[in-house]
Structure formats: C-alpha cells, structure tokens
Amino acid sequence: TMSRVCYFASDIPLKEKTNPFVRSYSINEAIKAGINIDLKLLEDIDRDEPDTILWAEKEEHMELPTISAAKPYSEAPKSDKKYYADIGGVPEKDLQGIIEYIHDHMRKTKGANAKSLELWCVWLGADETDIEKKHCRLADLSEEYLYEIFTNDDKDYKLVITR
C-alpha cells in the first residue's frame, strides 16, 4: 500500500519529541502497572520483551505527534540536507506544538550555517516534479498553513521555512 510520510530535513540534528502521554511496556511490566490485558491474545509473545504494549490513558493521546531521528526514505524524494526526522502520530492534533518545535529548532540554527528547515509531506514513490514547493518565513508560519500541508492528501509538499 502507498504511504504518505511527513518529515523534517535540516543541516543540523533535529531534537526528538516524544509523546508524554504514551508509555511502552513489556507484558509483565504492564501487568505490574495494573493494565488490564487479554493474555490469550499475547500467549506466544515473550512476557519480558520490551516495548510490546503501547499504552495511553485516553485514546486521543495516542494521536499526538512525535518527532524522531530517521534516515531518508529510499522511495521518497531526497533533500540536500543531512539530517532527517520523522513526524509520527497525527500532526494536525497539535499544530501549535509543531510550530513551537520549528521555532525552537530555528533558534538553534542561528549560530550554525543553517539557513532553513524543510518540511516534506509526500507519498512514497512521489515524482519529484509533482511536489508543490512552498516557502514560508518563520514569522508567517500559522496553524492554518500547516494544517493544509498535513491534511491535503491530494498533494505532495515541500515547505522551506526560513528566518
């Protein structure tokens, strides 16, 4: 199946952002934490295997965006930038958090020779020529602007954010 991926590309390393509401457990850790588990579903799995169960208090917490260091996708268009970070979860669930992340990252790039941050939202296998290239100054970045990029599945986007 085709997948649409969203990621940042930068000249300097991108900070990871975890979801503070989600925890991962081994089966035994989850039982100790009092999480109700149907063990019949998990009988063939090592009970001490870490990160077997992903848990959150509320379902909507599972969708909050995360940002994690990544390698370039082989099937996705390439940036000239050295560092990549995947945007996981559902980014439009916390657009303000994404904007704060971008501002924070751009502050770090001031001293470095890093002029811009790229945000890509593309279908894997996308043709480079079909990508809608946008430019935005950091001061003009808004939730509405990002919402379109994250939710309009009919287009592939490369957004270059500059100071």
Side-chain angles (χ1 to χ4, degrees):
T1 59
M2 295 282 286
S3 292
R4 189 167 189 260
V5 294
C6 293
Y7 52 92
F8 288 117
S10 177
D11 294 311
I12 66 168
L14 291 130
K15 199 173 89 189
E16 305 234 328
K17 176 182 170 156
T18 57
N19 182 335
F21 298 105
V22 173
R23 300 225 14 218
S24 66
Y25 294 99
S26 71
I27 295 170
N28 282 336
E29 288 168 340
I31 292 168
K32 274 193 201 113
I35 297 169
N36 194 2
I37 300 171
D38 183 351
L39 291 172
K40 282 195 235 48
L41 290 175
L42 303 168
E43 60 191 2
D44 296 336
I45 298 171
D46 174 359
R47 286 183 171 208
D48 292 312
E49 177 73 31
D51 304 332
T52 302
I53 293 175
L54 206 56
W55 182 86
E57 189 95 20
K58 296 183 180 150
E59 199 170 328
E60 60 264 25
H61 286 163
M62 288 296 229
E63 298 180 332
L64 289 175
T66 58
I67 296 167
S68 51
K71 291 183 171 54
Y73 288 92
S74 55
E75 319 83 70
K78 296 287 180 281
S79 168
D80 298 331
K81 302 210 176 280
K82 183 175 177 186
Y83 298 98
Y84 283 72
D86 265 336
I87 304 169
V90 184
E92 61 272 21
K93 295 283 183 188
D94 185 19
L95 291 167
Q96 192 51 48
I98 298 274
I99 289 172
E100 286 166 16
Y101 178 91
I102 292 168
H103 275 273
D104 187 50
H105 184 77
M106 295 298 277
R107 266 194 300 278
K108 289 191 186 80
T109 64
K110 256 193 180 137
N113 192 16
K115 306 265 185 288
S116 64
L117 174 67
E118 296 172 356
L119 167 61
W120 296 70
C121 280
V122 295
W123 287 93
L124 291 181
D127 185 335
E128 190 83 50
T129 57
D130 291 339
I131 295 174
E132 185 168 321
K133 293 173 178 66
K134 292 176 164 275
H135 285 81
C136 182
R137 295 198 41 229
L138 188 58
D140 301 326
L141 194 62
S142 68
E143 290 189 30
E144 295 74 26
Y145 195 83
L146 286 178
Y147 184 83
E148 180 197 336
I149 290 172
F150 285 126
T151 61
N152 185 350
D153 291 348
D154 296 332
K155 287 189 181 162
D156 294 304
Y157 292 100
K158 173 189 177 184
L159 171 63
V160 178
I161 303 160
T162 54
R163 246 178 240 97

